[in-house]
Amino acid sequence: MLVAPSVLSADFGNLQRDVEEICNSGCDLVHVDVMDGHFVPNLTIGPVVVSAIAKAATKPLDIHLMVENNTFFVELFAPLKPHYISFHIEEEKHPHRLIQKIRSLGIKPAIVLNPHTPPEAVEYLLKDLDMVLLMSVNPGFGGQSFIDNVIPKAFKLNEMRNKINPNCLIEVDGGVNDKNIQLLKNAGVDVVVAGSYVFKHKDKAQAIQSLQI
Ligand code: DX5
Ligand code: ZN
């Protein structure tokens, strides 16, 4: 299991220190939550702060867009060369076109599904995707509790991607901790995002390791 700590739970007064700390504690990716105050009822960070994160990070960036105008934000963040950019299918009229655009910029495209969105929504996109991110909370805030309908959904998506594109990873985001990690592993999940669990733990390396099962 790969682990992507979410910087949303970092101390923004000590952002460089916190990003360096998770990278030195064995994380696999650095998860960056971009919220625009429209698609979700919260507003986070833009390219100025994300570029400071990119400078401090020694692990690849995983940018999660929670915004209304996906294409605008893809173009805004592409110069920072993140490893992944994921966008919500609920907010995109032309997901196939945007996948192609992200790939043409040299970035791995990923699609995010809200808790109510069925995995079939990405069936005909799977062969063009590097990752599907399943939300296990309603997007907008860290520290919420895990919505467990993501487990049967991950099982179903795992079957679909094994048939259509075994290279496409499954990521889960929201309320992940050492109590639900085994269920996620059993369901075929490859990557977990963990914000409050990692940043509230007294030993971040130990927290990350407890999820790398
Ligand atoms: C929520 C964000 C998450 C959040 C996860 O909208 O997408 O990445 O930071 O935080 P925890 O792990 O605390 O639920
Ligand atoms: Zn996220």
Side-chain angles (χ1 to χ4, degrees), residues 6 31 33 64 66 133 135 173 193:
S6 165
H31 186 83
D33 291 299
H64 174 190
M66 285 158 273
L133 168 49
M135 291 308 298
D173 182 4
V193 177

Side-chain angles (χ1 to χ4, degrees), residues 33 57 61 63 67 69 95 100 111 126 137 145 166 181 186 194 211:
D33 291 299
L61 296 197
I63 295 186
V67 299
N69 190 343
Q100 287 174 311
I111 281 188
L126 266 181
V137 296
S145 44
I181 192 69
N186 296 348
L211 304 177

Side-chain angles (χ1 to χ4, degrees), residues 22-35:
I22 51 168
C23 290
N24 293 334
S25 299
C27 75
D28 300 287
L29 292 164
V30 174
H31 186 83
V32 177
D33 291 299
V34 174
M35 307 184 189

